[in-house]
């Protein structure tokens, strides 16, 4: 039931069903847990061109034990009004030999009758423009998902796919969800957004339905769904739809027509992060800032291996930790983002860990017996310029990296250091390689980073980029998307495991967003004449002041559609509108 009417997922727009990896028959495998009868795919086999899921004619071969009749499966979906998608350039069998573009297209379209395809980046067939050209020659419209092969051309707008992956592989945790959402910002927060109808930025499938049980399960899944809707992400359900208990649990989330209307709306901008507010919890961090002589920058001490932060307004002394704090990127609407390291109780540092000052560098030893090299504290100034290219979006950063004279581990060393990381010839993309390196060594940094610090006469820790400052960690985040001239959707997200409160300033909603399609936008939410639709609670209320009190449980969110004009109300006193017309 949806709004009192029996409704199918297909009627709400979930009318595609697609397969991912594992349908193909391969002569070797990087996933022995999936098929232990196959020989392992070592580097010589994979990258030497010996692994293949094509026959002697170059045609795809299907695992008959899983799909005894692939064509019948496609017909089964079509008979129920669904479109059916498949998966090419596969990963479980890393095929790095000759390409088979034309054979794959002929098999997929002419023989099987598929309607869409996810093109992964593991094999040799990574030319998405060539894929699109061949699909177009068939005369059948084919939906193309590009997974890590390329992005659209940011100068011309050329886009040979329908949606493109911006981040790595997702997992059911809010930290993963928010990180994947950040990955869309480089396609949305630009002078001209490159995420748009026909070419959507895609952070990965939805994990709604897969979050582990617990007191905050519903909040996490609801927040995740709200983020994907406000970012105009393609909405792909990634849980077992045959599990009735799971379907019942998430049904009201995935069928929320207000949220789906926000997802489907287009008014020149796909939606993006606007800003992050300081946390109101007790979590503190150290960031890079100006040397202004404030109490938050003065009073650093290095004592018995501890780096003791200025007390400033803190009730007790805290020490610098090695853990990075959540760090939203700078945006057009708020360029004050700062990436920092955590502060914690000085008596709770890991056993054997300590800070040292060596030749002007501040070095962290983590106390692990297997660690033979320290990491060094570094600072890096903000580098943010969307007009110069979408890669230039770096927050002001304090982090840990390799010390001078050290080098990055080789692939073999990375495998030994990172037990859950690359296996055998595992290969995905530059995006994921950098994520692995970042997870192992902390923040990646640029050539402009500084590893040298001076303890000044007034006890500042100073680098060439500025001074270290104690600050609140990042708290509630504001994400927004324009819906029309008088309506904007906003999502306020608590990405932390602590409750957060905020007197949210309504004026932080942009009056216009970036892009040519926003030239006519001039949104203003004036108290008394501005109304809000509460998406999660399905209710409406008047905005009566310049700020709105927000109180969010861990990982929870508030989702509103703001209208600058007075809407109509029905006889029940509720905002009367059809979300599908937004």
């Amino acid at each position: 039931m949806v709004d009192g009417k029996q409704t199918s997922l297909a009627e709400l727009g979930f009318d595609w069903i697609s397969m991912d990896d594992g349908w193909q028959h391969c002569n070797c495998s990087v996933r022995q847990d999936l098929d232990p009868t196959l020989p392992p795919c070592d580097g010589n086999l994979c990258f030497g061109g010996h692994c293949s899921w094509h026959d002697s004619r170059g045609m795809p071969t299907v695992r008959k034990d899983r799909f005894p009749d692939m064509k019948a499966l496609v017909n089964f979906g079509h008979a129920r009004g669904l479109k059916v998608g498949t998966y090419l350039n596969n990963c479980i069998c890393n095929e790095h030999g000759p390409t088979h573009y034309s054979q794959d297209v002929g098999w997929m379209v002419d023989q099987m009758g598929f309607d869409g395809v996810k093109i992964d980046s593991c094999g040799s067939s990574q030319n998405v423009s060539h894929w699109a050209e061949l699909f177009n020659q068939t005369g059948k419209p084919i939906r193309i998902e590009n997974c890590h092969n390329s992005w659209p051309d940011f100068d011309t707008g050329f886009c040979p796919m329908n949606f493109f992956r911006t981040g790595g592989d997702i997992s059911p945790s809010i930290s993963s969800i928010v990180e994947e959402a950040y990955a869309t910002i480089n396609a949305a927060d630009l002078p001209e957004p490159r995420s748009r109808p026909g070419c959507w930025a895609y952070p990965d499938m939805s994990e709604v339905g897969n979050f582990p049980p617990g007191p905050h399960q519903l909040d996490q899944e609801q927040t995740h769904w709200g983020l994907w809707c406000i970012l105009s992400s393609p909405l792909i359900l990634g849980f077992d739809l045959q599990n009735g208990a799971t379907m019942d649990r998430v049904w009201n989330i995935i069928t929320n027509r207000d949220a789906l209307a926000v997802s489907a709306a287009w008014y020149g901008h796909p939606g993006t992060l606007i800003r992050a507010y300081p946390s109101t919890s007790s979590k503190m961090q150290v960031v890079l800032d100006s040397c202004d002589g404030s109490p938050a920058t003065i009073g650093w001490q290095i004592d018995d291996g501890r780096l003791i932060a200025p007390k400033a307004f803190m009730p007790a002394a805290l020490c610098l930790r090695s853990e990075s704090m959540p760090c939203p990127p700078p945006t057009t609407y708020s360029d004050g983002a700062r990436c920092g390291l955590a502060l914690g109780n000085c008596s709770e540092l890991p056993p054997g860990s300590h800070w040292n000052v060596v030749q002007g560098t501040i070095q962290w030893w983590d106390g692990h017996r297997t660690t033979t090299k320290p990491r060094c504290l570094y600072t890096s100034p903000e580098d943010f310029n969307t007009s110069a290219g979408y890669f230039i979006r770096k927050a002001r950063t304090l982090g840990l990296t390799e010390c001078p004279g050290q080098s990055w581990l080789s692939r073999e060393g990375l495998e030994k250091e990172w037990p859950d990381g690359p296996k055998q010839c595992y290969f995905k993309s530059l995006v994921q390689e950098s994520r692995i390196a970042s997870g192992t060594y902390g923040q990646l940094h640029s050539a402009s980073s500084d590893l040298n610090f001076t303890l000044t006469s007034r006890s500042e820790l100073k680098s060439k980029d500025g001074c270290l400052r104690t600050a609140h960690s990042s708290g509630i985040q504001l994400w927004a998307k324009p819906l029309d001239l008088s309506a904007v959707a906003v999502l306020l997200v608590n990405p932390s495991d602590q409750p957060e409160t905020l007197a949210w300033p309504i004026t932080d909603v942009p009056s216009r967003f970036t892009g040519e399609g926003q030239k006519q936008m001039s949104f203003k939410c004036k108290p008394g004449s501005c109304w809000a639709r509460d998406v999660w609670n399905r209710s409406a209320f008047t905005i009566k002041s310049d700020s709105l009190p927000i109180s969010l449980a861990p990982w929870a969110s508030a989702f509103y559609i703001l209208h600058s004009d007075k809407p109509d109300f029905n006889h029940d006193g509720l905002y009367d509108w059809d979300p599908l017309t937004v």
Side-chain angles (χ1 to χ4, degrees), residues 504-562:
W504 174 52
I506 305 297
T507 53
D508 281 349
V509 178
S511 58
R512 71 177 295 273
F513 292 71
T514 58
E516 289 294 315
Q518 285 287 295
K519 280 191 172 180
Q520 304 302 316
M521 189 81 176
S522 183
F523 180 81
K524 291 184 179 179
C525 184
K526 297 180 180 178
S529 62
C530 182
W531 300 75
R533 171 75 168 178
D534 188 322
V535 172
W536 297 145
N537 294 322
R538 306 300 302 273
S539 61
F541 61 93
T542 307
I543 302 293
K544 296 181 179 180
S545 67
D546 292 328
S547 64
L548 192 65
I550 302 294
S551 181
L552 296 177
W555 304 300
S557 59
F559 198 176
Y560 303 119
I561 299 172
L562 302 183

Side-chain angles (χ1 to χ4, degrees), residues 1-28:
M1 304 295 289
V2 178
D3 296 335
K5 179 183 176 182
Q6 192 170 24
T7 308
S8 72
L9 286 174
E11 289 174 302
L12 289 169
F14 297 96
D15 54 357
W16 281 80
I17 186 163
S18 300
M19 66 182 65
D20 208 89
D21 210 345
W23 63 262
Q24 70 279 10
H25 177 74
C26 187
N27 63 348
C28 58

Side-chain angles (χ1 to χ4, degrees), residues 185 189 230-231 269 271-277 328-337 476-482 488-492 504 507-514:
I185 295 173
D189 180 34
I230 210 159
L231 293 173
H269 197 282
T272 192
L273 174 69
I274 305 302
R275 66 176 66 242
Y277 301 92
T331 71
T332 298
Y333 317 94
S334 175
D335 59 0
I476 291 175
Q477 300 176 357
L478 169 63
W479 300 73
K481 175 183 177 179
V488 173
V490 297
L491 184 75
L492 292 150
W504 174 52
T507 53
D508 281 349
V509 178
S511 58
R512 71 177 295 273
F513 292 71
T514 58

Side-chain angles (χ1 to χ4, degrees), residues 12 15 32 54 60 118 127 134 152 165 206 302 326 333 367 370 380 415 451 460 505 561 579-580:
L12 289 169
D15 54 357
Q32 298 304 103
H54 291 85
K118 172 183 174 181
N127 188 333
L134 293 174
R165 278 281 291 277
S206 160
I302 299 177
Y333 317 94
T370 57
S380 183
E415 290 179 11
L451 282 75
E460 298 164 309
I561 299 172
L580 298 183

Side-chain angles (χ1 to χ4, degrees), residues 19-24 53-54 58-61 85-93 95 100-109 112 114 116-126 131 135 142 144-147 149 428:
M19 66 182 65
D20 208 89
D21 210 345
W23 63 262
Q24 70 279 10
W53 44 275
H54 291 85
M59 298 300 293
T61 55
T86 189
Y87 171 94
L88 294 173
N89 206 29
N90 306 20
C91 288
I92 288 177
C93 181
E95 191 175 63
H100 307 284
Y101 288 99
S102 58
Q103 293 98 325
D104 286 350
V105 169
W107 171 83
M108 180 188 139
V109 178
M112 297 293 115
F114 283 107
V117 62
K118 172 183 174 181
I119 302 171
D120 216 319
S121 58
C122 294
S124 304
S125 304
Q126 298 181 343
W131 280 113
F135 284 128
I142 297 295
I144 300 175
E145 173 190 347
N146 173 10
C147 183
N149 292 291
K428 285 291 287 184

Side-chain angles (χ1 to χ4, degrees), residues 531-534 537-542 566-577:
W531 300 75
R533 171 75 168 178
D534 188 322
N537 294 322
R538 306 300 302 273
S539 61
F541 61 93
T542 307
K566 183 177 179 180
D568 295 325
F569 284 78
N570 62 24
H571 63 278
D572 295 321
L574 297 177
Y575 180 25
D576 191 14
W577 74 308

